[in-house]
Amino acid sequence: MASAPSRDPGALVLGIETSCDETAAAVVADGHEILSNVVSSQVADHAPFGGVVPELASRRHLEAIVWVVQQALEQAGKDLNEITGIAVTQGPGLIGALLVGLGLAKALAWARALAIVGINHLEAHLAALRWAEPRAVYPMVALLVSGGHTCLYYIPAQGQMELVGQSVDDAAGEAFDKVAKLFGLGYPGGVRISRLGAGGNPQAYDFPRPMISSGDYNFSFAGLKSALVRFREAHKGQPYRLEDVCASFEQAVVDVLVAKTMAAAQHFGAKAVGAAGGVAANARLRAELGRAAKARGLSLSLAPVELCTDNAAMVAALGSDKLRAGERLGLEAEAVSRVDSSGGLG
Ligand code: KG4
Ligand code: ZN
């Protein structure tokens, strides 16, 4: 008897993402066509605390995950029987949160005998560059800026990446979130600060640009946050325009991110620069990267704004590539909270 033709595991991938405070599932065809992309945000649950509460995140993921996966299949018009492979975020992230997605993904893969692959959340953010306009060109230097990470990668060709710099303390998104909390602007801070900052003068205050001339590709944002703490104390009882503070703070972060990205691009002889991750949704950063790239004759690839913050489409798309390359996750595999020194899951 002839055996059934083996299916391409990357043809129709279900992606699952639960690394932080978004419960997300998506169905992606051929690593590119997004058939559905469902994100259930917990932002409102964490807002009263001014940041993500890990235990609460795990509980909310557990409540939402089955419904979110069902929605992703329904919106894609696909049945679980048609899915050819599963991609799930394995790390880095909050362990209890990751375990919820990983547990469901493993159970589905086991029950349906589906190919499954574990995904590095940081690599998934960069994978969103496949949807950039204009198309990504290589070699590229890519900036990954999120709530948990600020990293620079040298990407000689799609699918290869070398970590060349990262924050030695707070991530850029973390700085946005902490400064927003300091000024009572709520969580998540990035969106609130950039909304207020849009109406402010970015030159009003000369906040520090930490490590801008350090000669390497690392970042530091803890000192900038402390400068804002001192500013607030020094201006107690005095009037100031919060719009100007937000714009000036945002400008300081953007100046450092752009300067380091351009320095790395020059050093590595890149033809293009790219940006992905939650903070890459920031309009000022996108505009300034655009200006700086143009001035240097570099191509610019930005992840689409709606795919900058956490989602499972980026996980499914990267999963498709990896499943096709033969990568698999063992059903005994664990969630990984932190990346190793090379940026991998170890
Ligand atoms: O990638 P992401 O959704 O989650 C992590 O992997 O961390 O990034 C979330 C971060 C938060 O710190 C949030 O404040 C920031 O991205 N963010 C922004 C903007 N939108 C989200 N930061 C600056 N400007 C924005 N428009
Ligand atoms: Zn993320």
Side-chain angles (χ1 to χ4, degrees):
M1 198 174 80
S3 60
S6 61
R7 289 201 292 184
D8 165 11
L12 195 66
V13 176
L14 171 66
I16 296 177
E17 154 66 44
T18 62
S19 67
C20 192
D21 60 348
E22 324 281 4
T23 314
V27 177
V28 173
D30 279 326
H32 198 91
E33 192 190 347
I34 302 173
L35 303 185
S36 64
N37 185 25
V38 179
V39 181
S40 168
S41 179
Q42 306 175 0
V43 158
D45 298 302
H46 299 284
F49 305 99
V52 178
V53 182
E55 167 76 15
L56 185 58
S58 310
R59 288 170 182 271
R60 291 291 173 265
H61 283 309
L62 208 48
E63 285 167 8
I65 189 70
V66 172
W67 180 84
V68 167
V69 169
Q70 283 170 341
Q71 285 295 306
L73 290 167
E74 201 176 307
Q75 289 180 22
K78 300 290 177 190
D79 187 88
L80 194 52
N81 289 325
E82 296 171 82
I83 295 296
T84 58
I86 295 184
V88 59
T89 303
Q90 193 183 359
L94 302 169
I95 276 292
L98 289 163
L99 285 174
V100 176
L102 196 60
L104 178 66
K106 282 187 191 179
L108 284 173
W110 183 46
R112 301 280 172 150
L114 282 168
I116 178 169
V117 66
I119 296 295
N120 178 336
H121 181 79
L122 307 184
E123 204 181 337
H125 271 301
L126 293 177
L129 290 172
R130 74 190 56 206
W131 295 295
E133 289 287 343
R135 268 177 79 98
V137 293
Y138 301 94
M140 173 191 283
V141 161
L143 175 67
L144 168 57
V145 261
S146 71
H149 295 86
T150 299
C151 303
L152 266 178
Y153 295 91
Y154 174 56
I155 307 181
Q158 190 175 353
Q160 301 170 15
M161 52 195 264
E162 183 192 339
L163 181 67
V164 298
Q166 60 186 319
S167 177
V168 298
D169 44 51
D170 293 352
E174 197 177 347
F176 271 99
D177 295 339
K178 285 179 174 172
V179 168
K181 190 174 178 182
L182 179 69
F183 287 91
L185 297 177
Y187 172 83
V191 177
R192 312 276 176 118
I193 287 185
S194 59
R195 243 183 240 152
L196 264 181
N201 172 8
Q203 266 92 49
Y205 302 104
D206 187 20
F207 293 127
R209 270 79 171 149
M211 291 182 73
I212 199 163
S213 310
S214 62
D216 59 16
Y217 308 114
N218 291 330
F219 303 88
S220 166
F221 293 105
L224 175 57
K225 181 205 68 192
S226 304
L228 271 290
V229 172
R230 287 194 299 276
F231 172 91
R232 196 164 175 273
E233 275 163 12
H235 287 74
K236 267 210 176 104
Q238 291 174 34
Y240 56 83
R241 283 189 78 228
L242 197 49
E243 289 87 345
D244 291 344
V245 177
C246 288
S248 301
F249 162 75
E250 202 181 19
Q251 190 65 52
V253 175
V254 167
D255 281 353
V256 180
L257 293 175
V258 173
K260 294 273 170 154
T261 305
M262 295 303 151
Q266 188 179 5
H267 176 84
F268 289 98
K271 286 192 184 140
V273 290
V279 182
N282 184 276
R284 199 180 296 269
L285 176 61
R286 296 174 83 88
E288 301 245 340
L289 277 173
R291 261 194 289 279
K294 196 171 174 199
R296 290 164 179 78
L298 296 167
S299 171
L300 174 70
S301 290
L302 298 170
V305 170
E306 67 282 8
L307 294 171
C308 280
T309 43
D310 288 348
N311 65 85
M314 64 187 191
V315 174
L318 179 60
S320 178
D321 301 349
K322 291 193 179 284
L323 287 166
R324 284 174 169 167
E327 274 189 45
R328 296 291 184 272
L329 182 79
L331 290 185
E332 73 297 339
E334 294 187 31
V336 181
S337 63
R338 288 171 180 278
V339 286
D340 59 25
S341 57
S342 67
L345 295 179

